[in-house]
Amino acid sequence: MRDQFLLDPDLTFLNHGSFGACPRPVFDELQRWQREMERNPVQFLGRRSAELLAQARARLAAYAGAHADDLAFVPNATTGVNIVARSLALRPGDEVLATDHEYGACETTFERLCAARGAHYRRVTVPLPFERERFAETLLAELRPQTRLIFCSHVTSTTALIFPLAELCARARERGVLTLVDGAHAPGHLDLDLQALGADFYTGNCHKWLCAPKGAGFLHVRPEHQALIEAPVISWGYAAEVAGHTGFDAYTGRTPLERRLLWQGTRDIAAWLSVPAAIDFQQRHDWPVVRARCHALAAEALHRVCTRFGLPPASTDDDYGQMVVLPVPHRDAEGLRARLFEDSRVEVPVTQHAGRTFVRLSVQGYNTPEDVERLLAAPALAA
Ligand SMILES: Cc1ncc(COP(=O)(O)O)c(C=O)c1O
């Protein structure tokens, strides 16, 4: 499958997790939309975009177990987290509870907003090795009367763990606490059923594991919270709300989420319009089989590295998908990453969590057992 992707053939690319990689047919679709736009930008953006986006969104909704009206396209998960964090109107004394595995930029979002509003961002330690049975309880035991929100990844960035979230979301709701899930790595990586998962807010990326073009994120908001969502950019939809406008066009939108998020000024919508092509690509290539093959390769690499260094894994094999963290004894994470890339042309990130260092291995459909062998044989990996 490697020839389906545009990746440099001289590279051993084992970092799908950071920014994904887009297959040729999906990238062709992106460019087809961009060319279509340039034939008549006024027709395309001004008169057709709302309908085209609605079609793409409907396809994504069916794929992800959602109602289309509860979904909005955003450029990426960072934006999705920011929209929710800024919309919550945190008050002095409020608390946002999170795990200690959250993505740095999103943690910073909450830390800054909390500091500005006199609220608190509190990390709960989810220890390694990960124990899925204790996960929900670990967070729920930390709830206080002032906890407004639990913020939690679906698949974590530095540790590549899949957090089991349905129970957490349901029990948080019983306690009157909102949930925001950072699903940056989930679409295309896990079977997603957003309604069954039950988070109040869920943001995800299609440009990582679904292999859509970059800039294709989404935000899912349960209907009862849609009115509180504030856009990062105030635009025509707000004007239409004030004027009681009942029409539907690219500028105004129709539903509460569209009014806020559909039109954010002139921008390139081609990545979102290409999401159906990414879904088609994975369906054509029997993705459940691809995923299982990738997981098996990741698991084999993990077991070999653990044995080689005598270090324990971060979790059982059921707690990760196509991305896994390989424990290594190295202390200098950036030095190891740079040597793997410069000496061996292996593109792979090296992460650190709770004093431990990990090579975060991503195995995607284009990877072969030889790719993993090149990583494991790299001189830099020898302790
Ligand atoms: C858990 C997690 N959240 C959010 C992000 C940010 O994604 P984006 O840059 O597409 O906003 C990442 C990126 O790797 C991530 O791993």
Side-chain angles (χ1 to χ4, degrees), residues 146-158:
Q146 59 269 38
T147 312
R148 289 274 311 281
L149 178 81
I150 297 176
F151 169 57
C152 187
S153 292
H154 202 170
V155 180
T156 63
S157 176
T158 49

PDB file of all heavy atoms in Angstrom, residues 146-158:
ATOM      1  N   GLN A 146     -17.044  21.782  42.983  1.00  0.00           N
ATOM      2  CA  GLN A 146     -16.714  22.866  42.045  1.00  0.00           C
ATOM      3  C   GLN A 146     -16.253  22.350  40.670  1.00  0.00           C
ATOM      4  O   GLN A 146     -15.920  23.147  39.804  1.00  0.00           O
ATOM      5  CB  GLN A 146     -15.665  23.816  42.649  1.00  0.00           C
ATOM      6  CG  GLN A 146     -14.354  23.186  43.036  1.00  0.00           C
ATOM      7  CD  GLN A 146     -14.350  22.702  44.484  1.00  0.00           C
ATOM      8  OE1 GLN A 146     -15.342  22.192  44.998  1.00  0.00           O
ATOM      9  NE2 GLN A 146     -13.212  22.855  45.151  1.00  0.00           N
ATOM     10  N   THR A 147     -16.210  21.029  40.478  1.00  0.00           N
ATOM     11  CA  THR A 147     -15.744  20.505  39.181  1.00  0.00           C
ATOM     12  C   THR A 147     -16.817  20.738  38.125  1.00  0.00           C
ATOM     13  O   THR A 147     -17.932  20.231  38.235  1.00  0.00           O
ATOM     14  CB  THR A 147     -15.424  18.992  39.272  1.00  0.00           C
ATOM     15  OG1 THR A 147     -14.617  18.750  40.408  1.00  0.00           O
ATOM     16  CG2 THR A 147     -14.715  18.532  38.008  1.00  0.00           C
ATOM     17  N   ARG A 148     -16.472  21.514  37.106  1.00  0.00           N
ATOM     18  CA  ARG A 148     -17.421  21.786  36.020  1.00  0.00           C
ATOM     19  C   ARG A 148     -17.264  20.802  34.876  1.00  0.00           C
ATOM     20  O   ARG A 148     -18.211  20.466  34.189  1.00  0.00           O
ATOM     21  CB  ARG A 148     -17.161  23.201  35.438  1.00  0.00           C
ATOM     22  CG  ARG A 148     -17.544  24.346  36.314  1.00  0.00           C
ATOM     23  CD  ARG A 148     -18.997  24.762  36.196  1.00  0.00           C
ATOM     24  NE  ARG A 148     -19.521  24.953  34.838  1.00  0.00           N
ATOM     25  CZ  ARG A 148     -19.317  26.031  34.091  1.00  0.00           C
ATOM     26  NH1 ARG A 148     -18.605  27.032  34.540  1.00  0.00           N
ATOM     27  NH2 ARG A 148     -19.854  26.120  32.880  1.00  0.00           N
ATOM     28  N   LEU A 149     -16.012  20.407  34.618  1.00  0.00           N
ATOM     29  CA  LEU A 149     -15.723  19.671  33.388  1.00  0.00           C
ATOM     30  C   LEU A 149     -14.640  18.638  33.643  1.00  0.00           C
ATOM     31  O   LEU A 149     -13.670  18.907  34.359  1.00  0.00           O
ATOM     32  CB  LEU A 149     -15.213  20.663  32.323  1.00  0.00           C
ATOM     33  CG  LEU A 149     -14.803  20.074  30.986  1.00  0.00           C
ATOM     34  CD1 LEU A 149     -16.033  19.822  30.107  1.00  0.00           C
ATOM     35  CD2 LEU A 149     -13.826  20.982  30.235  1.00  0.00           C
ATOM     36  N   ILE A 150     -14.807  17.466  32.996  1.00  0.00           N
ATOM     37  CA  ILE A 150     -13.692  16.512  32.897  1.00  0.00           C
ATOM     38  C   ILE A 150     -13.189  16.583  31.460  1.00  0.00           C
ATOM     39  O   ILE A 150     -13.965  16.449  30.513  1.00  0.00           O
ATOM     40  CB  ILE A 150     -14.135  15.073  33.232  1.00  0.00           C
ATOM     41  CG1 ILE A 150     -14.612  14.980  34.680  1.00  0.00           C
ATOM     42  CG2 ILE A 150     -12.982  14.103  32.988  1.00  0.00           C
ATOM     43  CD1 ILE A 150     -15.153  13.610  35.065  1.00  0.00           C
ATOM     44  N   PHE A 151     -11.894  16.812  31.320  1.00  0.00           N
ATOM     45  CA  PHE A 151     -11.256  16.893  30.002  1.00  0.00           C
ATOM     46  C   PHE A 151     -10.329  15.694  29.856  1.00  0.00           C
ATOM     47  O   PHE A 151      -9.470  15.452  30.714  1.00  0.00           O
ATOM     48  CB  PHE A 151     -10.462  18.205  29.904  1.00  0.00           C
ATOM     49  CG  PHE A 151      -9.568  18.265  28.699  1.00  0.00           C
ATOM     50  CD1 PHE A 151     -10.094  18.111  27.427  1.00  0.00           C
ATOM     51  CD2 PHE A 151      -8.203  18.473  28.836  1.00  0.00           C
ATOM     52  CE1 PHE A 151      -9.275  18.149  26.315  1.00  0.00           C
ATOM     53  CE2 PHE A 151      -7.377  18.528  27.725  1.00  0.00           C
ATOM     54  CZ  PHE A 151      -7.918  18.360  26.465  1.00  0.00           C
ATOM     55  N   CYS A 152     -10.491  14.954  28.775  1.00  0.00           N
ATOM     56  CA  CYS A 152      -9.829  13.670  28.707  1.00  0.00           C
ATOM     57  C   CYS A 152      -9.614  13.237  27.253  1.00  0.00           C
ATOM     58  O   CYS A 152     -10.510  13.403  26.423  1.00  0.00           O
ATOM     59  CB  CYS A 152     -10.779  12.695  29.395  1.00  0.00           C
ATOM     60  SG  CYS A 152     -10.125  11.117  29.616  1.00  0.00           S
ATOM     61  N   SER A 153      -8.462  12.685  26.949  1.00  0.00           N
ATOM     62  CA  SER A 153      -8.219  12.181  25.594  1.00  0.00           C
ATOM     63  C   SER A 153      -8.902  10.847  25.376  1.00  0.00           C
ATOM     64  O   SER A 153      -9.084  10.075  26.320  1.00  0.00           O
ATOM     65  CB  SER A 153      -6.718  11.973  25.369  1.00  0.00           C
ATOM     66  OG  SER A 153      -6.046  13.197  25.345  1.00  0.00           O
ATOM     67  N   HIS A 154      -9.225  10.570  24.125  1.00  0.00           N
ATOM     68  CA  HIS A 154      -9.716   9.230  23.781  1.00  0.00           C
ATOM     69  C   HIS A 154      -8.515   8.309  23.553  1.00  0.00           C
ATOM     70  O   HIS A 154      -8.474   7.194  24.056  1.00  0.00           O
ATOM     71  CB  HIS A 154     -10.603   9.302  22.532  1.00  0.00           C
ATOM     72  CG  HIS A 154     -11.542   8.154  22.391  1.00  0.00           C
ATOM     73  ND1 HIS A 154     -12.549   8.111  21.474  1.00  0.00           N
ATOM     74  CD2 HIS A 154     -11.616   6.974  23.060  1.00  0.00           C
ATOM     75  CE1 HIS A 154     -13.213   6.976  21.591  1.00  0.00           C
ATOM     76  NE2 HIS A 154     -12.659   6.270  22.541  1.00  0.00           N
ATOM     77  N   VAL A 155      -7.549   8.816  22.770  1.00  0.00           N
ATOM     78  CA  VAL A 155      -6.267   8.120  22.598  1.00  0.00           C
ATOM     79  C   VAL A 155      -5.199   9.138  22.993  1.00  0.00           C
ATOM     80  O   VAL A 155      -5.177  10.246  22.456  1.00  0.00           O
ATOM     81  CB  VAL A 155      -6.052   7.680  21.131  1.00  0.00           C
ATOM     82  CG1 VAL A 155      -4.712   6.953  20.989  1.00  0.00           C
ATOM     83  CG2 VAL A 155      -7.203   6.799  20.642  1.00  0.00           C
ATOM     84  N   THR A 156      -4.345   8.780  23.923  1.00  0.00           N
ATOM     85  CA  THR A 156      -3.433   9.780  24.484  1.00  0.00           C
ATOM     86  C   THR A 156      -2.216   9.992  23.583  1.00  0.00           C
ATOM     87  O   THR A 156      -1.815   9.098  22.841  1.00  0.00           O
ATOM     88  CB  THR A 156      -2.965   9.376  25.896  1.00  0.00           C
ATOM     89  OG1 THR A 156      -2.222   8.152  25.794  1.00  0.00           O
ATOM     90  CG2 THR A 156      -4.149   9.188  26.822  1.00  0.00           C
ATOM     91  N   SER A 157      -1.631  11.166  23.710  1.00  0.00           N
ATOM     92  CA  SER A 157      -0.560  11.557  22.809  1.00  0.00           C
ATOM     93  C   SER A 157       0.787  10.958  23.222  1.00  0.00           C
ATOM     94  O   SER A 157       1.438  10.276  22.437  1.00  0.00           O
ATOM     95  CB  SER A 157      -0.466  13.085  22.795  1.00  0.00           C
ATOM     96  OG  SER A 157       0.610  13.497  22.014  1.00  0.00           O
ATOM     97  N   THR A 158       1.211  11.186  24.435  1.00  0.00           N
ATOM     98  CA  THR A 158       2.562  10.737  24.813  1.00  0.00           C
ATOM     99  C   THR A 158       2.606   9.259  25.186  1.00  0.00           C
ATOM    100  O   THR A 158       3.664   8.648  25.149  1.00  0.00           O
ATOM    101  CB  THR A 158       3.109  11.537  26.014  1.00  0.00           C
ATOM    102  OG1 THR A 158       2.116  11.557  27.022  1.00  0.00           O
ATOM    103  CG2 THR A 158       3.468  12.946  25.624  1.00  0.00           C
TER     104      THR A 158
END
